[in-house]
Amino acid sequence: MTNNVQHLSLYEQIKHHLISEIELAHLLPHDKLPSESELTKQFSVSRITVKKAMSDLVELGIVYRIQGKGTYVAVQGKGAVAVEPPIQPQRAPAVALLLPFINNQHNALLINGVESMLSEAGYSLLLCNTENSIQKEERVIREMVERHVAGMIVYPVDGESYNREILHLTLKSFPLVVMDRYLRGIDTNCVCPDNFRGAQEGVNHLISLGHRHIGFLSTTINGTSSIEDRLLGYEKALAEHHIPIDRRYRYVDIELGEPKPIKAKIRDFLSRHPELTAIFAINPGLGLQVIKVASEMGIRVPDDLSLIFFDDFELSEFYSVRPTFISQEENMLGKEAAKLLVSIMENPDQGTKKLFFPPKLIIRESTTKPGSRG
């Protein structure tokens, strides 16, 4: 009981001291009170005692707290204490991330990298799905500008070679980073994997195993810098090993989204070129279709047909044939894009930067020495 009385007396003393300071105008409305640590030292009491005194003052409306900031003097009414409505902490400035798709592992890893870096820097994230539509991408960019976002990271849609809204933001020096691919002719900040180098390394791996007849499968190339660079890397690897570039081995107008036509096209391609011993595909969607069609045709992967493609897919570790793939290190890519944007937002006078990061070849079971196909 004695201790309780003593503690009560101590925290009441602290309360009366602070009330006196406010009444004598030594502390004015919205002035910050000493911290709990400072009051603990000043009165030689425990932190619990100080917390109790401060909690009572808050309940009485004499002071108010702002989370993470401290405790402040409330506005006083005549003859009574008027409760000061809590001041809401300022919201973190928002950054918009525009993606053509959000339903695959590749983009999930990008989002995770972007969000982790922005959160660490004190920014919130607005995620926008452009549904791989240039028109929607332009509309979303305008909407984000109207919402006064602090900056934007844009992953351009497939086939996009020009975007007037991105050009407009670039000319206005709006904080903007283009991610994963770049737009030729628009001098904007970008963070991309080195698609040329990644494709070259992948094809070099196939050549090192002894393959000479290597097919190239992609969606429509025109306007998509990442696919254009992958084709150039494929051809560069062949040329450096003095392997003729046979355009018949290129199938470059396959559109995802309609499984039956894709499978029919791949079946026709493999049937017309039984001499092919390896395929380089530009993404896992096409790569998985190759595995399915080859199985239906009695072609074994990798014994009869080696396969390599860009990016991994979910649960690939449990697939019947674990694919060899070129990792774009998406999490790191997202972090670097966000890091560059934060740097631009906080130091807007810096010059335009284009950052390219080397992808990583992950060798697994879908590639081996040429078999007996054909």
Side-chain angles (χ1 to χ4, degrees):
M1 291 294 294
T2 306
N3 286 338
N4 288 339
V5 171
Q6 186 178 6
H7 284 169
L8 180 62
S9 176
L10 287 172
Y11 91 75
E12 286 287 358
Q13 287 180 36
I14 296 171
K15 278 174 55 179
H16 288 303
H17 168 76
L18 292 173
I19 291 171
S20 176
E21 291 289 285
I22 293 168
E23 290 176 345
L24 293 171
H26 294 161
L27 289 171
L28 300 175
H30 306 302
D31 278 355
K32 186 176 181 179
L33 270 64
S35 68
E36 289 182 359
S37 179
E38 291 169 336
L39 290 171
T40 297
K41 291 179 181 178
Q42 181 180 347
F43 290 92
S44 300
V45 295
S46 70
R47 195 144 189 167
I48 294 174
T49 302
V50 172
K51 280 183 179 293
K52 172 62 176 171
M54 299 297 271
S55 295
D56 278 13
L57 292 174
V58 169
E59 289 180 13
L60 292 169
I62 296 172
V63 301
Y64 62 94
R65 289 191 178 117
I66 298 178
Q67 186 70 30
K69 298 289 185 180
T71 306
Y72 299 81
V73 178
V75 174
Q76 308 300 306
K78 290 183 180 180
V81 174
V83 176
E84 176 75 8
I87 295 178
Q88 297 294 327
Q90 290 185 341
R91 291 183 179 179
V95 165
L97 171 60
L98 280 65
L99 294 171
F101 305 103
I102 58 174
N103 61 345
N104 57 37
Q105 178 174 287
H106 170 72
N107 285 352
L109 292 169
L110 286 174
I111 293 168
N112 185 64
V114 169
E115 196 280 331
S116 64
M117 183 58 66
L118 290 178
S119 176
E120 184 179 317
Y123 293 86
S124 61
L125 177 64
L126 290 175
L127 183 60
C128 309
N129 182 4
T130 61
E131 299 177 346
N132 210 32
S133 162
I134 294 177
Q135 292 75 23
K136 183 170 182 182
E137 182 181 88
E138 291 183 341
R139 175 168 58 79
V140 171
I141 289 174
R142 291 193 296 271
E143 290 174 355
M144 292 301 103
V145 171
E146 291 172 0
R147 291 184 65 167
H148 303 289
V149 295
M152 267 186 252
I153 299 173
V154 179
Y155 186 139
V157 305
D158 290 341
E160 182 174 10
S161 58
Y162 173 80
N163 182 305
R164 60 187 175 186
E165 296 299 331
I166 290 179
L167 177 60
H168 181 62
L169 293 181
T170 301
L171 293 174
K172 290 180 63 178
S173 298
F174 181 89
L176 171 71
V177 171
V178 174
M179 181 172 62
D180 188 80
R181 59 191 65 155
Y182 54 91
L183 302 179
R184 301 187 193 279
I186 300 181
D187 185 27
T188 189
N189 299 284
C190 70
V191 174
C192 306
D194 190 336
N195 288 289
F196 175 88
R197 181 173 169 181
Q200 186 178 19
E201 186 175 353
V203 176
N204 280 340
H205 170 63
L206 293 172
I207 294 171
S208 73
L209 292 171
H211 295 278
R212 293 296 181 270
H213 301 288
I214 304 169
F216 180 89
L217 294 180
S218 83
T219 52
T220 302
I221 290 178
N222 292 337
T224 305
S225 62
S226 57
I227 302 178
E228 292 173 350
D229 289 346
R230 290 173 192 181
L231 175 58
L232 290 173
Y234 159 83
E235 293 182 340
K236 180 70 171 177
L238 296 177
E240 286 188 340
H241 289 85
H242 308 291
I243 299 173
I245 297 172
D246 191 335
R247 292 186 179 275
R248 294 177 304 166
Y249 293 168
R250 287 179 13 181
Y251 206 150
V252 296
D253 64 349
I254 302 173
E255 294 299 335
L256 298 177
E258 299 181 358
K260 289 185 179 179
I262 292 174
K263 291 178 70 174
K265 288 180 177 181
I266 293 174
R267 183 179 293 106
D268 177 65
F269 180 70
L270 294 178
S271 297
R272 284 187 289 109
H273 302 292
E275 70 277 16
L276 289 175
T277 60
I279 294 288
F280 177 89
I282 59 106
N283 60 41
L286 287 176
L288 286 171
Q289 292 297 331
V290 170
I291 294 174
K292 291 177 182 177
V293 171
S295 177
E296 292 171 1
M297 295 176 68
I299 300 171
R300 297 169 300 170
V301 175
D303 299 319
D304 303 323
L305 185 69
S306 283
L307 174 67
I308 188 170
F309 47 78
F310 260 82
D311 302 330
D312 199 7
F313 59 89
E314 193 171 3
L315 301 179
S316 66
E317 286 286 333
F318 303 99
Y319 213 69
S320 55
V321 178
R322 298 191 310 155
T324 296
F325 70 98
I326 300 160
S327 170
Q328 299 188 63
E329 305 292 280
E330 293 93 341
N331 189 267
M332 181 272 290
L333 198 65
K335 286 184 177 180
E336 291 299 328
K339 184 178 177 181
L340 177 57
L341 182 63
V342 170
S343 174
I344 294 165
M345 291 187 294
E346 296 180 355
N347 301 284
D349 295 330
Q350 61 187 286
T352 301
K353 294 182 179 178
K354 288 181 168 56
L355 306 178
F356 293 87
F357 296 91
K360 183 179 180 182
L361 176 64
I362 307 297
I363 300 172
R364 297 195 294 197
E365 287 92 30
S366 69
T367 51
T368 190
K369 293 180 180 180
S372 58
R373 181 173 180 252

